[in-house]
Amino acid sequence: MLAFNFFGATEGGLFDINATLPLMAIQVVALTYILNSLFFKPVGNVVEKREKFVSNNIIEAKNKLSEVKKLEADLLTQLQSARTEAQRIVSEAESESDKLYKEALELANNEANASKEKARLEIESQTSAARDQLSKQADDLSELIVNRLILEK
Amino acid sequence: MFFNSLLTNFAALEVGQHLYWQIGNIRLHGQVFLTSWILLGALLVFISLGTKKMENDPKGLQNLLEFLWDYIRDLARTQIGEKVYRDWMPFIGTLFLFVFVSNWGGALIPWRLIKLPSGELGAPTADINTTIALALLVSLSYFYAGLSNKGWRYFEYYVHPTPIMLPFKILEDFTKPLSLSFRLFGNILADELVVGVLVFLVPLILPIPVMFLGLFTSAIQALIFATLAAYYIGEAVEEHH
């Protein structure tokens, strides 16, 4: 009546070991082969193909990134040299214009000085001429006055 | 009186009774094969549906199967090691899937609704024959793995740190299949019995947490079985220096 009486049972019982054991083992081995061809191989192929694809892409991207970095550095040095070149040109032009300005200034100064000198000389000569004429007229006038005084007497 | 009727009804759980199939001279536990065929058939249908149209961008079922594959690969790789895990991954995976499907199938499908002339349907892993078959396969495979990878040097493992270990290591070859088979058998049978008894005593609500616990145990047992099998194989192929 009580089914828990499984030890010593001639028929049945929990520990009844029979041909189920080897057949189950064969079944599991067969299942291993079936699952290998149905599941493990195809899924493994797909997963590993994708993993390879991803890792290849990562490597490629890394290569591209390093190339980009190299190009960037190249461009940076080019930019730097262009900048210094431009600076040089600008400073050259500045000094050139400075020189030209100074030259022109000097020229103009000289010219102005020369014409000032000329004018001064002219004024001086005219002044002296006028003074001579004036003193001559004074002499004449004094002579005339003297003569008149003498005649009247 | 009550106790007496309890015992008779306990008998209704039909512990240790089998549906016998007689083929010539050999006797089989029919209920084990019936449930295992149903569950493995379902597993194979599920897998062939999922692998029917494999794409590089996984969708639906393929995603799940790839997750499963990855899980089994990680398990095999961590236990067996990078070098030979590929050879043993299908075996470990089959063990895991077989035990898992058997345990969960036994716990989730209301087999008791199907009446058999004798015995009752349940998890195939609740039968000692199944678990011993699995455990012996594990024993054979770790011997085979060790011998095929290292030849006769495999037996260095028995005297590895010191020769004093020899008797213990020999004893281990017997305790490994014993513990593997009885752990699985005991856990699954105990779960079935506890749920059966609780359903009989309190048919409402109360068995539900125990059923969930049973599902948890079932999954854990599958993982433990596969992990230990992989660990034994890994131990056999490991190189000592």
Side-chain angles (χ1 to χ4, degrees), chain B:
Chain B
M1 275 305 282
F2 172 74
F3 195 62
N4 218 1
S5 73
L6 190 74
L7 285 183
T8 7
N9 274 304
F10 248 45
L13 283 174
E14 303 193 15
V15 179
Q17 291 191 27
H18 306 287
L19 172 74
Y20 279 98
W21 286 349
Q22 181 99 30
I23 303 167
N25 226 1
I26 58 174
R27 286 161 78 76
L28 301 173
H29 290 170
Q31 85 277 16
V32 179
F33 284 107
L34 280 178
T35 40
S36 75
W37 289 341
I38 293 167
L39 292 172
L40 295 184
L43 173 71
L44 289 179
V45 165
F46 176 74
I47 279 171
S48 12
L49 279 180
T51 53
K52 201 166 59 183
K53 234 172 49 189
M54 301 275 273
E55 286 166 46
N56 216 6
D57 296 334
K59 281 192 204 80
L61 223 50
Q62 195 194 335
N63 252 327
L64 188 62
L65 287 181
E66 281 187 13
F67 166 74
L68 198 62
W69 187 89
D70 210 42
Y71 184 74
I72 292 166
R73 178 179 65 170
D74 281 351
L75 197 156
R77 187 152 61 181
T78 43
Q79 298 300 333
I80 302 179
E82 199 67 50
K83 239 171 69 188
V84 287
Y85 83 91
R86 266 161 201 289
D87 304 340
W88 293 101
M89 202 188 130
F91 180 61
I92 302 298
T94 305
L95 284 180
F96 178 74
L97 287 176
F98 181 80
V99 175
F100 184 78
V101 166
S102 298
N103 292 354
W104 269 46
L108 283 178
I109 302 172
W111 297 106
R112 291 213 173 84
L113 300 182
I114 305 165
K115 293 271 178 256
L116 293 181
S118 160
E120 54 188 19
L121 296 176
T125 37
D127 190 284
I128 190 81
N129 290 285
T130 312
T131 61
I132 291 181
L134 292 174
L136 286 181
L137 282 178
V138 171
S139 289
L140 285 178
S141 13
Y142 79 70
F143 268 110
Y144 174 75
L147 288 173
S148 65
N149 269 281
K150 302 201 287 186
W152 293 109
R153 281 194 309 109
Y154 166 63
F155 293 103
E156 282 174 4
Y157 157 76
Y158 285 86
V159 289
H160 172 49
T162 78
I164 301 167
M165 293 302 287
L166 182 65
F168 304 105
K169 295 264 171 122
I170 291 171
L171 199 62
E172 259 192 351
D173 282 334
F174 293 96
T175 54
K176 275 172 184 173
L178 209 64
S179 64
L180 269 184
S181 55
F182 274 77
R183 181 185 308 110
L184 184 58
F185 167 68
N187 271 290
I188 303 310
L189 183 76
D191 174 51
E192 276 194 358
L193 287 183
V194 167
V195 171
V197 168
L198 269 180
V199 166
F200 159 69
L201 288 175
V202 193
L204 282 173
I205 301 165
L206 197 65
I208 291 173
V210 184
M211 284 173 177
F212 275 108
L213 185 70
L215 285 182
F216 179 68
T217 320
S218 298
I220 290 289
Q221 285 308 317
L223 178 64
I224 287 175
F225 198 95
T227 308
L228 279 177
Y231 173 73
Y232 294 155
I233 292 169
E235 203 178 35
V237 298
E238 189 189 9
E239 288 288 349
H240 305 288
H241 295 291

Side-chain angles (χ1 to χ4, degrees), chain A residues 71-150:
Chain A
L71 284 176
E72 207 186 350
D74 235 34
L75 280 179
L76 216 64
T77 54
Q78 275 184 28
L79 195 69
Q80 205 81 38
S81 66
R83 238 179 227 158
T84 53
E85 178 75 16
Q87 219 145 28
R88 198 181 58 75
I89 287 170
V90 167
S91 67
E92 222 167 63
E94 263 175 4
S95 66
E96 183 91 357
S97 71
D98 213 36
K99 218 176 79 190
L100 281 176
Y101 167 72
K102 270 180 186 156
E103 266 175 21
L105 192 67
E106 212 178 60
L107 205 71
N109 265 345
N110 287 347
E111 216 164 289
N113 278 347
S115 63
K116 219 165 85 184
E117 189 69 24
K118 211 174 115 195
R120 196 181 57 85
L121 286 176
E122 205 170 312
I123 289 168
E124 233 164 61
S125 73
Q126 276 181 16
T127 321
S128 70
R131 199 175 278 144
D132 284 352
Q133 204 180 351
L134 201 65
S135 70
K136 203 178 146 220
Q137 276 177 0
D139 280 355
D140 284 352
L141 201 61
S142 64
E143 204 175 319
L144 194 69
I145 294 169
V146 167
N147 283 347
R148 263 245 196 126
L149 281 176
I150 293 168

